[in-house]
Amino acid sequence: MKKINAASRTTAWIVASSGVMSLALAGCSNSEPKREYKIPNAFCGMQISPDLVEPTLPPGKKLTTRFSQAVGESSCRVVVDKKTALHITTGWHEKGTTALKVAYGQIGVDLTEKVSKDESYVYSDEGAVSKIACPNHSNKYRRENYELFTQFFLADMKAKQSEVKALLFGLTKAIVASDECSPKNN
Protein backbone atom coordinates (compact mmCIF):
# COMPACT_ATOMS: atom_id res chain seq x y z
CA MET A 1 0.00 0.00 0.00
CA LYS A 2 1.26 3.43 -0.96
CA LYS A 3 1.67 6.04 1.73
CA ILE A 4 0.19 9.48 1.09
CA ASN A 5 2.33 12.21 2.53
CA ALA A 6 1.01 15.37 4.17
CA ALA A 7 1.88 17.55 1.17
CA SER A 8 -0.23 15.37 -1.15
CA ARG A 9 -3.16 15.48 1.26
CA THR A 10 -2.89 19.27 1.49
CA THR A 11 -2.77 19.58 -2.32
CA ALA A 12 -5.80 17.30 -2.70
CA TRP A 13 -7.71 19.31 -0.09
CA ILE A 14 -6.88 22.61 -1.89
CA VAL A 15 -7.96 21.23 -5.26
CA ALA A 16 -11.23 19.86 -3.83
CA SER A 17 -11.93 23.10 -1.94
CA SER A 18 -11.26 25.16 -5.07
CA GLY A 19 -13.73 23.07 -7.05
CA VAL A 20 -16.43 23.54 -4.41
CA MET A 21 -15.75 27.29 -4.23
CA SER A 22 -15.84 27.59 -8.03
CA LEU A 23 -19.23 25.88 -8.15
CA ALA A 24 -20.55 28.13 -5.38
CA LEU A 25 -19.32 31.28 -7.10
CA ALA A 26 -20.65 30.16 -10.48
CA GLY A 27 -24.07 29.67 -8.88
CA CYS A 28 -23.98 33.25 -7.56
CA SER A 29 -22.89 34.82 -10.83
CA ASN A 30 -25.70 33.21 -12.85
CA SER A 31 -28.40 35.24 -11.13
CA GLU A 32 -31.07 36.85 -13.28
CA PRO A 33 -30.16 40.39 -14.40
CA LYS A 34 -32.24 43.02 -12.58
CA ARG A 35 -33.89 46.26 -13.57
CA GLU A 36 -32.23 48.88 -11.40
CA TYR A 37 -33.70 51.93 -13.13
CA LYS A 38 -37.09 53.52 -12.52
CA ILE A 39 -39.50 53.98 -15.43
CA PRO A 40 -40.93 57.51 -15.31
CA ASN A 41 -44.65 58.33 -15.65
CA ALA A 42 -43.86 60.71 -18.49
CA PHE A 43 -41.30 60.49 -21.22
CA CYS A 44 -41.05 61.37 -24.89
CA GLY A 45 -43.57 64.16 -24.32
CA MET A 46 -46.32 61.75 -23.20
CA GLN A 47 -47.95 60.61 -19.98
CA ILE A 48 -47.94 56.80 -19.99
CA SER A 49 -48.15 54.20 -17.25
CA PRO A 50 -44.80 52.60 -16.38
CA ASP A 51 -46.71 49.30 -16.05
CA LEU A 52 -47.32 49.35 -19.83
CA VAL A 53 -43.70 50.13 -20.69
CA GLU A 54 -41.96 47.84 -18.18
CA PRO A 55 -42.53 44.45 -19.91
CA THR A 56 -41.00 45.77 -23.15
CA LEU A 57 -37.73 46.97 -21.61
CA PRO A 58 -34.68 44.89 -20.68
CA PRO A 59 -33.00 44.74 -17.29
CA GLY A 60 -30.22 47.23 -16.70
CA LYS A 61 -28.88 50.03 -14.53
CA LYS A 62 -29.73 53.31 -16.25
CA LEU A 63 -32.63 54.47 -18.45
CA THR A 64 -32.44 57.63 -20.55
CA THR A 65 -34.52 59.00 -23.41
CA ARG A 66 -33.40 60.78 -26.55
CA PHE A 67 -36.20 62.86 -28.05
CA SER A 68 -36.01 64.70 -31.35
CA GLN A 69 -38.63 66.58 -33.29
CA ALA A 70 -38.85 67.83 -36.85
CA VAL A 71 -41.73 69.44 -38.69
CA GLY A 72 -44.62 66.99 -38.36
CA GLU A 73 -42.51 64.12 -37.03
CA SER A 74 -41.03 63.08 -33.71
CA SER A 75 -38.73 60.32 -32.59
CA CYS A 76 -37.94 59.03 -29.13
CA ARG A 77 -35.34 56.44 -28.26
CA VAL A 78 -35.58 54.80 -24.86
CA VAL A 79 -32.03 53.79 -23.98
CA VAL A 80 -31.00 51.26 -21.32
CA ASP A 81 -27.33 51.15 -20.43
CA LYS A 82 -26.34 53.06 -23.59
CA LYS A 83 -28.27 50.72 -25.93
CA THR A 84 -31.54 51.63 -27.63
CA ALA A 85 -34.24 49.36 -26.19
CA LEU A 86 -37.43 50.98 -27.54
CA HIS A 87 -37.81 53.35 -30.48
CA ILE A 88 -41.07 55.32 -30.80
CA THR A 89 -41.91 57.58 -33.75
CA THR A 90 -44.94 59.61 -34.75
CA GLY A 91 -45.49 61.13 -38.14
CA TRP A 92 -48.08 62.27 -40.64
CA HIS A 93 -48.89 60.11 -43.67
CA GLU A 94 -51.23 60.69 -46.59
CA LYS A 95 -54.89 60.03 -45.91
CA GLY A 96 -55.80 56.47 -46.87
CA THR A 97 -52.48 55.05 -45.65
CA THR A 98 -52.97 52.00 -43.46
CA ALA A 99 -50.95 50.89 -40.45
CA LEU A 100 -50.03 47.83 -42.47
CA LYS A 101 -48.42 50.01 -45.15
CA VAL A 102 -46.49 51.99 -42.53
CA ALA A 103 -45.36 48.72 -40.89
CA TYR A 104 -43.99 47.41 -44.19
CA GLY A 105 -41.75 50.49 -44.28
CA GLN A 106 -40.01 49.38 -41.07
CA ILE A 107 -36.93 47.60 -42.44
CA GLY A 108 -35.62 44.59 -40.53
CA VAL A 109 -38.60 44.27 -38.17
CA ASP A 110 -41.80 42.32 -38.80
CA LEU A 111 -44.64 44.17 -37.12
CA THR A 112 -47.45 42.47 -39.04
CA GLU A 113 -48.25 39.26 -37.17
CA LYS A 114 -51.57 40.66 -35.91
CA VAL A 115 -53.58 43.03 -38.13
CA SER A 116 -56.84 44.72 -37.13
CA LYS A 117 -59.75 44.21 -39.55
CA ASP A 118 -59.66 47.84 -40.68
CA GLU A 119 -55.81 47.83 -40.76
CA SER A 120 -55.73 50.78 -38.34
CA TYR A 121 -53.20 48.95 -36.16
CA VAL A 122 -50.78 46.05 -36.48
CA TYR A 123 -48.42 44.44 -33.98
CA SER A 124 -46.10 41.55 -33.27
CA ASP A 125 -43.72 40.60 -30.48
CA GLU A 126 -41.22 43.07 -31.99
CA GLY A 127 -43.35 46.24 -32.04
CA ALA A 128 -46.44 47.89 -33.50
CA VAL A 129 -47.99 50.62 -35.67
CA SER A 130 -51.25 52.48 -35.10
CA LYS A 131 -53.23 55.19 -36.87
CA ILE A 132 -54.09 57.97 -34.41
CA ALA A 133 -57.52 59.57 -34.58
CA CYS A 134 -56.71 63.18 -33.71
CA PRO A 135 -59.83 65.00 -32.56
CA ASN A 136 -58.26 68.43 -32.98
CA HIS A 137 -57.46 69.29 -36.57
CA SER A 138 -55.71 72.54 -35.70
CA ASN A 139 -52.21 71.13 -35.23
CA LYS A 140 -49.93 73.61 -37.00
CA TYR A 141 -47.95 70.77 -38.59
CA ARG A 142 -50.96 68.87 -39.84
CA ARG A 143 -51.55 69.15 -43.55
CA GLU A 144 -54.85 68.59 -45.26
CA ASN A 145 -55.46 64.97 -46.20
CA TYR A 146 -52.85 63.63 -43.78
CA GLU A 147 -53.29 61.32 -40.76
CA LEU A 148 -51.08 60.76 -37.73
CA PHE A 149 -49.43 57.39 -37.06
CA THR A 150 -47.26 56.09 -34.27
CA GLN A 151 -44.94 53.14 -34.49
CA PHE A 152 -42.50 51.54 -32.13
CA PHE A 153 -40.15 48.65 -32.18
CA LEU A 154 -38.14 46.80 -29.58
CA ALA A 155 -34.46 46.92 -30.47
CA ASP A 156 -32.94 43.82 -28.86
CA MET A 157 -35.72 41.79 -27.38
CA LYS A 158 -39.19 40.52 -27.96
CA ALA A 159 -42.20 40.84 -25.69
CA LYS A 160 -45.46 38.97 -25.44
CA GLN A 161 -47.88 40.15 -28.10
CA SER A 162 -50.42 41.01 -25.40
CA GLU A 163 -47.84 43.33 -23.76
CA VAL A 164 -47.01 44.96 -27.09
CA LYS A 165 -50.72 45.49 -27.81
CA ALA A 166 -51.26 47.02 -24.35
CA LEU A 167 -48.33 49.40 -24.89
CA LEU A 168 -49.65 50.30 -28.36
CA PHE A 169 -53.08 51.21 -27.00
CA GLY A 170 -51.47 53.12 -24.11
CA LEU A 171 -49.24 55.07 -26.51
CA THR A 172 -52.18 55.79 -28.80
CA LYS A 173 -54.17 57.22 -25.88
CA ALA A 174 -51.15 59.25 -24.70
CA ILE A 175 -50.54 60.67 -28.18
CA VAL A 176 -54.20 61.70 -28.57
CA ALA A 177 -53.80 63.67 -25.32
CA SER A 178 -50.38 65.12 -26.28
CA ASP A 179 -49.51 68.32 -28.12
CA GLU A 180 -48.75 66.25 -31.23
CA CYS A 181 -52.43 65.52 -31.70
CA SER A 182 -54.25 68.09 -29.61
CA PRO A 183 -51.98 71.12 -29.15
CA LYS A 184 -52.92 73.52 -26.37
CA ASN A 185 -51.33 76.57 -28.03
CA ASN A 186 -50.93 76.87 -31.77
Side-chain angles (χ1 to χ4, degrees):
M1 193 172 232
K2 196 174 184 183
K3 266 184 144 180
I4 299 177
N5 65 25
S8 295
R9 277 187 287 209
T10 303
T11 302
W13 184 84
I14 290 172
V15 169
S17 297
S18 296
V20 169
M21 290 297 286
S22 294
L23 287 173
L25 290 174
C28 292
S29 66
N30 282 341
S31 64
E32 232 7 76
K34 295 186 181 189
R35 183 175 286 113
E36 297 177 28
Y37 56 84
K38 184 176 189 251
I39 300 170
N41 287 323
F43 62 88
C44 304
M46 300 176 277
Q47 294 287 327
I48 188 158
S49 169
D51 293 339
L52 295 175
V53 180
E54 186 268 332
T56 64
L57 296 177
K61 294 183 180 191
K62 184 178 179 184
L63 179 139
T64 56
T65 58
R66 297 181 182 146
F67 184 73
S68 62
Q69 201 164 17
V71 175
E73 191 172 319
S74 65
S75 172
C76 181
R77 292 184 185 273
V78 179
V79 179
V80 175
D81 296 340
K82 299 182 181 180
K83 285 183 75 177
T84 298
L86 175 64
H87 185 201
I88 304 166
T89 61
T90 60
W92 298 90
H93 294 268
E94 286 185 55
K95 197 169 193 158
T97 301
T98 64
L100 189 59
K101 185 174 181 180
V102 174
Y104 284 140
Q106 189 64 52
I107 297 170
V109 182
D110 181 10
L111 306 178
T112 62
E113 289 176 16
K114 300 285 185 182
V115 181
S116 66
K117 287 183 182 182
D118 63 357
E119 295 184 3
S120 64
Y121 65 89
V122 298
Y123 63 96
S124 73
D125 55 2
E126 298 178 81
V129 177
S130 180
K131 184 185 293 189
I132 309 292
C134 285
N136 183 344
H137 293 266
S138 64
N139 184 313
K140 64 183 176 183
Y141 298 121
R142 184 178 184 150
R143 298 189 328 210
E144 283 296 316
N145 298 318
Y146 276 68
E147 298 171 304
L148 186 62
F149 285 81
T150 188
Q151 62 183 326
F152 70 88
F153 66 93
L154 310 173
D156 280 339
M157 65 178 275
K158 295 183 179 187
K160 293 179 185 171
Q161 286 184 358
S162 59
E163 295 166 341
V164 171
K165 185 178 181 182
L167 178 57
L168 177 64
F169 289 169
L171 280 172
T172 299
K173 185 177 177 182
I175 291 167
V176 167
S178 76
D179 284 349
E180 184 70 35
C181 194
S182 303
K184 310 299 181 269
N185 299 313
N186 287 332

